[in-house]
Amino acid sequence: QISAVLSQFLYAEEHLYASSVIFLHKVKLSYHTGINIWSASVSFFLLCLFSCSSKKAKSHLYSFLPILKWLPRYPVKEYLLGDIISGISTGVMQLPQGLAYALLAAVPPVFGLYSSFYPVFLYTFFGTSKHISIGTFAVISMMVGGVAVRQVPDEVISVGYNSTNTTDASDYYSLRDDKRVQVAVTLAFLSGIIQLCLGFLRFGFVAIYLTEPLVRGFTTAAAVHVFTSQLKYLLGVKTSRYSGPLSVVYSLAAVFSKITTTNIAALIVGLTCIVLLLIGKEINLRFKKKLPVPIPMEIIVVIIGTGVSAGMNLTESYGVDVVGKIPQGLSAPAVPEIQLIPAIFIDAVAIAIVGFSMAVSMAKIFALKHGYTIDGNQELIALGICNSVGSFFQSFPITCSMSRSLVQESTGGKTQIAGALSSVMVLLVIVAIGYLFEPLPQTVLAAIVMVNLKGMFKQFGDVAHFWRTSKIELAIWVVAFVASLFLGLDYGLLTAVAFAMITVIYRTQRPQYRILGQIPDTDIYCDVEEYEEVKEYPGIKIFQANTSLYFANSESYTSALKKKTGVDPCAILAARKKAQKKHAREVKKANKVKKKAIANDGLPVNGKFAYVDAGVQDGSPDELEHFVEPKTNIHSLILDFTPVNFVDSVGAKTLKSVIKEYKEVGVCVCIASCSGPVMNELTRLNFFDNTVTRELLFHSIHDAVLACQVKDRTDALYTESEVSEVQKRSIFPLPEMSFYLPA
């Protein structure tokens, strides 16, 4: 066992093989002799652990930078055209969505462009998925905006801001936005560091705790949050932005309280854009096979909205809010504000896990469809680098966008080159033509966000689906939706994960218990209640529970075992004690009658007393058996451990108690199909001793059944040859016998 453990740390390269064998022999020798060789071999062990051959170094480099593996073998003639078309199509979507989702993140629109360039370009080098589109996403942007508004609310007065000498409100909003940008940037840095740590520690499995019903319920609630937050931009009203519990209720109340101040021009522009976007999406859906590329309605709407706003001067004439100043060129790198980390750490953890879950789920879908594999841990590292490095260039947290990923894949994208080209398009806008979008009305961006929520709102249909398939998954969906809707996305996510874990415990506490029987002339055993042709062996019960045995379900396991088998050792022993007491009273009564008869008659008649016969009859073997020994209709009980994955100390004690209790009433308990890890756990928990031996274990149910039949026949022969002796000892349990199969 020691050598097996240490072999995990030894390299299998050829130049270390011989030394590794020698080292393992030393370890085995030390194990048997008790000589401590650790101090003597520590230098060799460290050499094996930390040495790295050129082949190993190359493998690690290719794993960390996947682009070095696929780019030299890139088939230019086959893939380049598809990647160019896909990159342009995705970039056309990336631009308006970056501007729109920046509003969700509570930062100026230009930072949405930064978040659509730096992380997307970095993912080309470190990502393993060929089809997902990294960048801004509504749910993550909404979570970022909630944190930014909580840390820097609209009512905050910045340090150094003096309302007496500043009359322009734009200065106040500029100071507020700068602070919110710092919060968003620090959030990106911290979430990226968390993802990097999880990736290097091989914690990619954490995404499995975000089950599909949980994610779908959470994203549906996030869609409601996003839709609510965009109403004020669509209507053109001025309200504060809320975060935390009941933020949806407060936002709706604020919007409806100022519904009379609706800007009609902004509403008309926004509704027109919504109609155009819905028509464009419907055309793309219906004529998907006929169109070479989807119609880029989002960029068309942005261009039209910008032109109309600039031509009609909507800002000054009708008071329509616009995007405003977009700085030309890239901003200089800056270090995030580290002092904000304690206040936003929990939010960063939630954003890191949700972002990774979104990305890896979409990556797995495309990988399965196109026949390649992704590395979940490397995806964590890639996202961590995109977020942490991007934070130095004022980008907020990003993840995979479902709508852009579908466009990138459907328009012929083959590799990460498509994503790189889309980021180049965003770069051109930032450095060259970004100022052209300054007149763009915010209501247009709100319309883009709302229409992109259409797919998420369709997830309300999950309620009917889960109602038909699984009530527990329906409960997870509903709890995730309600908690995220009313408690906020951060607390809602924590509540949903906690509830999902509780459902796992609930399922293990309420498993399905079965009595198995044999399909005739086979070694297959099935549920006797489900299959009519299944037969039970006389005197043998086979019990199965489709769960592990641990502290949370050990009591229910014992109760179900007694109920299903129809044998309750405690009840039998209690009945036996009651019968013994009754028998003792009868014997005592007979003795009194005997004494009374002697006192009255003086001498026996024919050597016997009439009343004595009744007393002796009560003490005869037949009557003793009738009173003292309640019979069970089974002689063997087989516990099927096939579904058991682990056993803890409470489960081991419960199992040991079951074996001993049934043994006291003459029922021998066997364990079948016990896996190796469970065997090791039982051994470690000191389960086996003189009373519970390994002879109770069998490789399969059929082996256990045959052994029980052999034992029963042996006991029957023993009973026939020594009937009188068995009758005298009938109140005691059967003698122990080894359950060996005949050769």
Side-chain angles (χ1 to χ4, degrees):
Q1 293 178 354
I2 292 180
S3 63
V5 172
L6 291 177
S7 64
Q8 297 177 8
F9 300 101
L10 300 178
Y11 294 112
E13 282 80 11
E14 295 180 358
H15 68 282
L16 288 175
Y17 178 75
S19 300
S20 300
V21 172
I22 297 173
F23 181 67
L24 292 178
H25 281 297
K26 288 182 179 181
V27 174
K28 291 180 180 179
L29 179 63
S30 67
Y31 178 72
H32 292 292
T33 61
I35 301 174
N36 184 10
I37 53 90
W38 291 107
S39 57
S41 302
V42 65
S43 59
F44 175 80
F45 181 75
L46 292 175
L47 175 65
C48 294
L49 187 61
F50 295 107
S51 62
C52 186
S53 63
S54 59
K55 184 178 180 181
K56 194 76 173 179
K58 187 177 180 180
S59 175
H60 282 305
L61 182 61
Y62 281 177
S63 177
F64 184 70
L65 282 170
I67 191 173
L68 298 177
K69 189 173 183 179
W70 60 263
L71 187 59
R73 295 180 289 181
Y74 182 80
V76 177
K77 294 183 179 180
E78 298 178 16
Y79 285 1
L80 185 59
L81 180 61
D83 281 339
I84 291 176
I85 296 174
S86 176
I88 295 174
S89 302
T90 308
V92 167
M93 286 188 66
Q94 190 96 265
L95 174 63
Q97 287 188 4
L99 294 171
Y101 292 155
L103 296 180
L104 292 178
V107 296
V110 67
F111 294 95
L113 297 180
Y114 296 155
S115 302
S116 300
F117 168 63
Y118 292 105
V120 179
F121 188 73
L122 288 171
Y123 185 82
T124 304
F125 297 90
F126 299 98
T128 59
S129 176
K130 301 176 182 179
H131 296 91
I132 65 173
S133 174
I134 294 296
T136 56
F137 183 56
V139 175
I140 298 298
S141 299
M142 189 68 197
M143 296 177 72
V144 173
V147 179
V149 172
R150 187 188 70 214
Q151 296 297 319
V152 188
D154 288 334
E155 297 80 10
V156 73
I157 302 298
S158 302
V159 177
Y161 176 80
N162 190 344
S163 59
T164 60
N165 57 22
T166 303
T167 57
D168 192 357
S170 62
D171 292 341
Y172 165 74
Y173 290 117
S174 177
L175 291 172
R176 182 202 63 182
D177 290 344
D178 289 342
K179 288 187 172 296
R180 287 183 176 178
V181 167
Q182 287 301 321
V183 173
V185 166
T186 307
L187 202 56
F189 173 75
L190 185 55
S191 62
I193 294 299
I194 293 171
Q195 289 172 332
L196 274 174
C197 293
L198 293 177
F200 285 126
L201 294 176
R202 298 307 194 202
F203 270 44
F205 65 88
V206 295
I208 65 176
Y209 293 104
L210 299 180
T211 64
E212 182 182 1
L214 187 152
V215 171
R216 294 178 73 87
F218 173 77
T219 53
T220 305
V224 177
H225 277 278
V226 172
F227 187 87
T228 304
S229 69
Q230 297 304 296
L231 283 176
K232 68 176 185 178
Y233 298 110
L234 180 67
L235 300 175
V237 298
K238 304 290 184 180
T239 63
S240 299
R241 181 165 177 172
Y242 299 92
S243 63
L246 300 179
S247 60
V248 171
V249 178
Y250 295 144
S251 297
L252 288 175
V255 170
F256 288 125
S257 66
K258 295 188 177 182
I259 195 71
T260 55
T261 64
T262 299
N263 189 310
I264 303 301
L267 180 61
I268 293 174
V269 172
L271 292 178
T272 303
C273 292
I274 289 176
V275 172
L276 291 176
L277 288 169
L278 290 175
I279 292 174
K281 286 185 176 293
E282 188 65 23
I283 293 174
N284 288 334
L285 182 63
R286 292 199 174 188
F287 300 98
K288 181 179 179 181
K289 296 182 179 179
K290 296 182 180 180
L291 293 173
V293 294
I295 300 175
M297 284 304 300
E298 291 179 343
I299 193 64
I300 292 174
V301 164
V302 167
I303 294 174
I304 294 175
T306 304
V308 170
S309 176
M312 299 181 64
N313 197 10
L314 295 180
T315 304
E316 296 182 3
S317 302
Y318 300 96
V320 176
D321 292 330
V322 295
V323 168
K325 184 174 178 57
I326 297 180
Q328 192 170 358
L330 299 173
S331 60
V335 179
E337 293 188 4
I338 307 300
Q339 63 269 22
L340 293 174
I341 289 179
I344 62 174
F345 180 78
I346 301 299
D347 303 284
V349 173
I351 290 174
I353 295 177
V354 172
F356 169 66
S357 177
M358 297 287 185
V360 78
S361 60
M362 287 297 295
K364 286 181 178 179
I365 292 173
F366 290 125
L368 183 63
K369 180 178 179 180
H370 294 277
Y372 63 92
T373 59
I374 65 163
D375 185 351
N377 294 309
Q378 180 60 28
E379 286 297 302
L380 262 175
I381 295 173
L383 288 174
I385 292 175
C386 291
N387 279 317
S388 58
V389 175
S391 67
F392 289 91
F393 299 92
Q394 287 77 52
S395 68
F396 55 82
I398 51 85
T399 185
C400 163
S401 169
M402 291 184 284
S403 59
R404 292 197 307 271
S405 298
L406 291 173
V407 170
Q408 181 170 318
E409 186 264 345
S410 62
T411 53
K414 302 295 184 181
T415 63
Q416 293 90 324
I417 294 293
L421 292 176
S422 68
S423 67
V424 171
M425 289 193 62
V426 176
L427 175 64
L428 292 177
V429 173
I430 294 173
V431 300
I433 61 175
Y435 67 94
L436 296 177
F437 295 100
E438 291 180 357
L440 176 64
Q442 291 184 358
T443 185
V444 175
L445 298 179
I448 293 173
V449 172
M450 288 180 170
V451 172
N452 281 326
L453 297 176
K454 179 182 176 182
M456 292 187 186
F457 282 127
K458 287 183 178 180
Q459 294 177 160
F460 278 109
D462 293 343
V463 175
H465 170 72
F466 288 127
W467 177 264
R468 294 190 301 268
T469 57
S470 174
K471 300 297 190 297
I472 292 180
E473 291 188 336
L474 173 62
I476 294 175
W477 192 98
V478 171
V479 169
F481 174 77
V482 174
S484 301
L485 184 63
F486 292 106
L487 299 180
L489 297 180
D490 45 3
Y491 293 113
L493 179 63
L494 294 176
T495 303
V497 171
F499 182 79
M501 299 302 294
I502 291 173
T503 61
V504 175
I505 299 174
Y506 172 80
R507 292 185 186 190
T508 60
Q509 285 185 307
R510 297 179 63 88
Q512 293 182 352
Y513 299 105
R514 304 182 182 92
I515 294 295
L516 306 182
Q518 185 192 32
I519 297 179
D521 301 325
T522 68
D523 59 353
I524 301 174
Y525 293 82
C526 302
D527 188 358
V528 295
E529 296 179 358
E530 188 174 353
Y531 300 94
E532 295 180 357
E533 297 182 358
V534 171
K535 305 294 183 183
E536 287 190 76
Y537 284 106
I540 300 177
K541 288 287 184 180
I542 306 171
F543 179 77
Q544 183 193 73
N546 63 339
T547 184
S548 298
L549 185 58
Y550 69 114
F551 69 93
N553 64 358
S554 57
E555 186 175 348
S556 61
Y557 184 92
T558 306
S559 301
L561 176 63
K562 295 175 181 178
K563 183 178 179 181
K564 285 288 186 179
T565 59
V567 179
D568 187 349
C570 296
I572 293 175
L573 292 175
R576 182 174 295 177
K577 290 180 180 179
K578 184 177 180 180
Q580 288 175 344
K581 291 180 180 180
K582 184 176 181 181
H583 178 70
R585 288 196 301 267
E586 293 293 336
V587 171
K588 186 177 181 180
K589 182 179 179 181
N591 290 335
K592 289 182 179 180
V593 172
K594 177 180 177 181
K595 292 179 181 179
K596 186 176 180 180
I598 293 176
N600 292 337
D601 298 337
L603 293 174
V605 179
N606 296 327
K608 294 182 180 180
F609 298 99
Y611 293 102
V612 175
D613 287 342
V616 174
Q617 184 65 26
D618 286 339
S620 64
D622 293 337
E623 194 68 18
L624 183 66
E625 180 180 354
H626 173 74
F627 280 109
V628 178
E629 188 178 3
K631 290 283 188 178
T632 61
N633 57 353
I634 66 172
H635 57 76
S636 298
L637 173 62
I638 300 173
L639 304 179
D640 180 18
F641 264 41
T642 304
V644 177
N645 295 320
F646 68 92
V647 177
D648 68 352
S649 60
V650 178
K653 290 179 181 178
T654 300
L655 185 59
K656 201 168 188 177
S657 176
V658 165
I659 294 174
K660 291 182 179 179
E661 286 180 1
Y662 277 89
K663 187 176 181 181
E664 290 181 5
V665 296
V667 179
C668 299
V669 180
C670 306
I671 301 175
S673 303
C674 186
S675 64
V678 175
M679 271 286 299
N680 295 335
E681 289 180 357
L682 291 176
T683 304
R684 180 173 50 84
L685 294 170
N686 298 322
F687 175 75
F688 300 104
D689 54 20
N690 294 332
T691 57
V692 181
T693 64
R694 295 179 184 269
E695 295 176 356
L696 301 178
L697 301 175
F698 293 91
H699 179 70
S700 66
I701 298 176
H702 195 60
D703 292 341
V705 169
L706 295 178
C708 291
Q709 289 177 328
V710 171
K711 175 188 176 298
D712 185 45
R713 287 196 296 267
T714 305
D715 290 346
L717 293 175
Y718 180 75
T719 302
E720 291 177 1
S721 61
E722 301 183 12
V723 175
S724 60
E725 185 65 23
V726 172
Q727 286 179 343
K728 293 178 182 178
R729 302 175 58 187
S730 60
I731 64 172
F732 297 98
L734 295 174
E736 294 186 30
M737 299 191 66
S738 299
F739 303 148
Y740 289 107
L741 290 175

